[in-house]
C-alpha cells in the first residue's frame, strides 16, 4: 500500500519540481504539493521512520529540501539545483543514488 503511494507521488514530484526548476511553476504550487503529500501520508499512520526503498529515501530527501531552502536559494543556488537534478534523475530511473541523500519518513 505504501509502495504505490511513493510511486505515484514520486512521478508527481518529478513533474512539479522539474517545472519549478525550469521557471514554469510558482514556488507556492510546489509548496502546496509538498503539504498535500504530507497530509495524504499522515493517513497511513506509518510508525517506521526508515524508508523501505532507495527511491523512497530520495523522495523524502527531496521533499525536505524543497521545504528547507528558501525560494531564492532554490532558484539561484547552482550547486543546490544540480543536487536536486541528480535526485530527480534517480527518481526518474536513470541516475545513481546521490551520496548526500539522507531521506527519512516524516
Amino acid at each position: 500500500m505504501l509502495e504505490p503511494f511513493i510511486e505515484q507521488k514520486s512521478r508527481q514530484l518529478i513533474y512539479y519540481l522539474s517545472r519549478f526548476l525550469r521557471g514554469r511553476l510558482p514556488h507556492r504550487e510546489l509548496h502546496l504539493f509538498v503539504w498535500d503529500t504530507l497530509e495524504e501520508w499522515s493517513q497511513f499512520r506509518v510508525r517506521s521512520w526508515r524508508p523501505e526503498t532507495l527511491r523512497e529515501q530520495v523522495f523524502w530527501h527531496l521533499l525536505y529540501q524543497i521545504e528547507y531552502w528558501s525560494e531564492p536559494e532554490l532558484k539561484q543556488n547552482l550547486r543546490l539545483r544540480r543536487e536536486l537534478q541528480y535526485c530527480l534523475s534517480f527518481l526518474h530511473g536513470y541516475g545513481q543514488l546521490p551520496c548526500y541523500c539522507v531521506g527519512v519518513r516524516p
Side-chain angles (χ1 to χ4, degrees):
M1 188 165 194
L2 297 178
E3 191 172 327
F5 174 84
I6 296 298
E7 182 62 33
Q8 176 192 18
K9 291 300 176 180
S10 292
R11 285 192 309 270
Q12 292 174 351
L13 178 57
I14 291 167
Y15 174 81
Y16 277 91
L17 185 53
S18 295
R19 287 185 55 87
F20 172 79
L21 293 173
R22 289 192 309 263
R24 296 187 177 155
L25 184 80
H27 183 259
R28 175 133 177 83
E29 291 296 318
L30 185 61
H31 174 75
L32 288 174
F33 166 75
V34 170
W35 285 99
D36 286 346
T37 300
L38 291 173
E39 184 178 339
E40 289 178 49
W41 174 258
S42 72
Q43 303 302 312
F44 286 107
R45 310 232 191 275
V46 177
R47 295 176 190 214
S48 174
W49 57 269
R50 291 183 186 197
E52 292 181 359
T53 65
L54 294 176
R55 183 176 178 85
E56 184 183 352
Q57 179 180 330
V58 172
F59 172 79
W60 293 121
H61 175 79
L62 278 173
L63 287 187
Y64 176 80
Q65 296 299 309
I66 290 167
E67 287 304 303
Y68 178 80
W69 296 104
S70 67
E71 181 178 0
E73 281 290 318
L74 290 168
K75 286 183 174 181
Q76 299 166 5
N77 184 323
L78 296 180
R79 181 174 180 221
L80 174 61
R81 291 173 61 87
R82 187 172 44 249
E83 289 176 0
L84 295 175
Q85 288 289 356
Y86 289 148
C87 289
L88 285 174
S89 293
F90 181 81
L91 282 185
H92 230 328
Y94 55 82
Q96 294 183 16
L97 177 69
C99 62
Y100 50 80
C101 183
V102 181
V104 295
R105 291 174 172 170

